[in-house]
Amino acid sequence: MEFIDLKAQYKHLKPRIDKRIQVVLEHGKYIMGPEVQELEDKLAEYVGVKHAITCANGTDALQLAMMVFNVKEGDAVFCPTFTFFATAEAPAFFGATPVFVDSDRKTFNICPIDLEKRIEETLSDGKLTPKAIVAVDLFGLPANYPELERIAKKYGLKLIEDAAQGFGGSIDGKKAGSFGDIATTSFFPAKPLGCYGDGGAIFTNNDDLAELARSYRVHGKGTDKYDNIRIGMNSRLDTIQAAILLEKLAEFPKELINRNKAAANYEEVLKEKYNTPKVPKGYVSSWAQYTILSEKRDSVMAEYKKKGIPTVIYYGKCMHQQTAFNCSSSKKISLPIAENLANQVFSLPMHGYLSASQLASILG
Ligand SMILES: *Cc1c(COP(=O)(O)O)cnc(C)c1O
């Protein structure tokens, strides 16, 4: 059994994907070909925002967001400590200081109460300028944006949604990728919407931010391609990846239903034995991962392995425990809920093509 069965998905979509790739090979516009614009239009429509700007990967998408907001040395950027490294790496890459925030016990997402505490602490310390919040839709569940938007407004901070795992999720029908000032996502193959290589995107309703992101994406270009008006990067999505994503996006709503069915199946059986993930009322998860908690994680994972069922730990180490970030911060911080998650979480197979018999063997 595969943890994320990308081959089953390809088998299902093969005629459509092969045809799309063939079209690109024949028209030859391998960079910024027509499929890129078509995908950006369809992504914007799906997410319900004015602008979708594709780029080379989800990490670049975060870096482009930092560039758009001129995040720099002396700035504090608040992010969850329980996340993938790139969330905190992006602000640190520009010399800013990531300030780590504890998790919500039930949703595993950034805890708004602890966030406010960290902002107040940073303000009273007076060393850093609070600049932005990067919230993560961890394992597919949107973060608590109603609260996060209130906090961002109260302290005059930019709010960035890292929807690398969240694409397809929603709160009261409002889709992941549409929260905050800017949102980012990743099309890494294993993400809810993945391509066959690296890919990413930025979403925003703000025309000025969109124009800046489009410029930074291609060497800081101005209106004339050969007049560069700022220092940017080279972060385009390949036309072939856009072509693949167009077919995957068309199928995505069906896959999302299947993922939610599988999660409901897991919940029904596993809630008796484990601490299972809770989806608040009005929220929809895209189930990038189905993650549960156990105090006896090692032995439980060994049991699954014996049955031929792959499990993976996301994440065994918080950001404030990472060597790269430990060196830069002089004082030891304790974020107990996130640390506990890092000690107990593990994830079960999750994708849009889990069959009833596979689910039965996992739960049997
Ligand atoms: C995967 C991921 C990223 C980075 O995406 P890449 O496309 O691999 O660069 C950023 N943030 C989160 C939360 C992720 O899961």
Side-chain angles (χ1 to χ4, degrees), residues 270-283:
L270 298 175
K271 68 173 179 219
E272 311 291 343
K273 266 170 85 181
Y274 301 101
N275 209 335
T276 52
K278 299 294 175 237
V279 178
K281 197 164 173 281
Y283 284 61

Side-chain angles (χ1 to χ4, degrees), residues 31 55-56 60 64 216-220 232-237:
I31 298 289
C55 63
D60 278 9
L64 285 164
Y216 280 124
R217 171 179 69 171
V218 187
H219 306 292
M233 55 206 277
N234 173 17
S235 184
R236 297 166 302 220
L237 180 74

Side-chain angles (χ1 to χ4, degrees), residues 6-15 196 353:
L6 296 171
K7 280 175 281 182
Q9 184 197 41
Y10 177 57
K11 215 173 136 198
H12 181 70
L13 297 172
K14 186 176 180 349
Y196 290 156
Y353 297 85

Side-chain angles (χ1 to χ4, degrees), residues 130-173:
K131 184 71 158 270
I133 303 162
V134 186
V136 178
D137 304 333
L138 199 70
F139 306 144
L141 181 71
N144 184 350
Y145 291 104
E147 266 302 289
L148 295 172
E149 277 163 3
R150 183 190 64 77
I151 294 168
K153 206 165 155 203
K154 178 173 168 188
Y155 294 97
L157 303 178
K158 302 295 178 198
L159 179 58
I160 299 157
E161 176 190 6
D162 178 353
Q165 302 176 18
F167 191 89
S170 58
I171 305 176
D172 295 329

